[in-house]
């Protein structure tokens, strides 16, 4: 992954995790917790593709596994987000631009349901049956509902930031300026003009020196 991708993804993942743990998890909403980290991974995967989405998902999930107050085995959520990021990256638009909000909303609902089912399935394999006691149906409904309501405020912004970092407008601006300068030099013949101005200044300076010398000689003769 490029450096700008790594820096942007790391920053967004950390901010999303902090907000999810310190704000969303403390709202005590019925059912699931709005998954801001999942939405961030989806936004990045829709721009970076399936490979980038898998890498970002794994890193985000591993960070969530290690961050307090995590009460599950490390690597469990990393596996979930890695799979979700990979699958979401497969539906990345070919042009990179999303023409309608329907596609991303469908991806959000599918990711919310898939991540909940996958998380519960992995938990069942390691002996965690918490989903059964809470009610898997209620978790699926509330996870899809909360993520769908939160998605319009998160996914478009994450995708816009990812595209901006991918295009690197600062580098384009600098290259455009250098291109304008070089094309101006080549088309306008600036070097020749500067040379002509220098020759003209030299002639004027020589004439001024001759005139001063003539005045001095006239004064001496008087």
């Amino acid at each position: 992954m490029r450096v700008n991708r790594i820096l942007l993804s790391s920053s967004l993942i950390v901010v999303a995790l902090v907000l999810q743990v310190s704000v969303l998890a403390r709202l005590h909403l019925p059912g699931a917790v709005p998954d801001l980290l999942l939405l961030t991974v989806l936004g990045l995967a829709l721009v970076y593709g399936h490979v980038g989405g898998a890498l970002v998902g794994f890193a985000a999930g591993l960070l969530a596994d290690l961050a307090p107050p995590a009460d599950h085995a490390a690597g469990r959520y990393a596996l979930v987000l890695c799979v979700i990021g990979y699958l979401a990256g497969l539906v990345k638009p070919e042009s990179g631009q999303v023409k309608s909000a329907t596609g991303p909303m469908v991806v959000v609902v599918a990711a919310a349901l898939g991540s909940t089912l996958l998380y519960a399935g992995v938990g069942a394999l390691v002996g965690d049956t918490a989903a059964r006691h809470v009610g898997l149906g209620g978790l699926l409904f509330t996870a899809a509902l909360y993520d769908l309501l939160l998605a319009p405020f998160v996914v478009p912004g994450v995708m816009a930031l990812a595209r901006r970092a991918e295009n690197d407008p600062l580098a384009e601006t600098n290259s455009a300026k250098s291109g304008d300068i070089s094309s101006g030099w080549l088309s306008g013949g600036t070097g020749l003009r500067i040379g002509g101005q220098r020759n003209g200044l030299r002639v004027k300076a020589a004439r001024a020196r001759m005139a001063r010398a003539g005045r001095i000689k006239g004064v001496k003769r008087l």
Side-chain angles (χ1 to χ4, degrees):
M1 296 181 69
R2 300 175 183 177
V3 176
N4 52 355
R5 286 189 179 187
I6 295 175
L7 293 177
L8 178 64
S9 302
S10 302
S11 303
L12 292 177
I13 287 172
V14 170
V15 172
L17 182 60
V18 170
L19 290 177
Q20 182 168 329
V21 172
S22 60
V23 178
L24 297 179
R26 298 185 179 184
L27 295 178
H28 301 293
L29 297 174
V33 176
D35 201 338
L36 184 60
L37 197 60
L38 173 65
L39 298 178
T40 303
V41 171
L42 291 179
L44 294 174
L46 290 175
V47 177
Y48 294 158
H50 59 283
V51 176
L55 293 176
V56 170
F58 178 80
L62 186 60
L63 185 62
D65 289 332
L66 300 177
D71 56 353
H72 54 268
R76 180 176 172 183
Y77 201 47
L79 175 62
V80 172
L81 287 187
C82 181
V83 174
I84 296 298
Y86 179 85
L87 295 177
L90 292 176
V91 298
K92 169 190 173 183
E94 293 295 334
S95 61
Q97 299 291 333
V98 179
K99 298 180 180 180
S100 174
T102 304
M105 292 298 102
V106 172
V107 173
V108 168
V109 174
L113 297 177
S115 62
T116 304
L117 288 173
L118 188 57
Y119 187 83
V122 175
L125 292 177
V126 297
D128 185 2
T129 59
R132 297 179 181 177
H133 302 292
V134 176
L136 185 58
L139 285 177
L140 290 173
F141 175 76
T142 53
L145 178 62
Y146 296 154
D147 291 348
L148 189 61
L149 293 176
L150 190 60
F153 304 98
V154 179
V155 177
V158 171
M159 294 180 66
L161 289 175
R163 288 198 196 98
R164 186 178 180 86
E166 194 74 2
N167 294 331
D168 198 5
L170 182 60
E172 291 182 357
T173 303
N174 293 335
S175 62
K177 289 181 179 179
S178 62
D180 293 339
I181 293 172
S182 60
S183 62
W185 274 72
L186 292 174
S187 61
T190 310
L192 296 178
R193 291 180 182 176
I194 291 177
Q197 292 175 358
R198 289 178 178 175
N199 292 332
L201 291 175
R202 290 175 181 174
V203 172
K204 290 181 181 180
R207 290 177 180 177
R209 287 195 298 268
M210 292 175 63
R212 285 197 300 269
R215 292 194 199 100
I216 293 174
K217 290 181 179 179
V219 172
K220 288 182 178 180
R221 290 176 181 175
L222 293 175

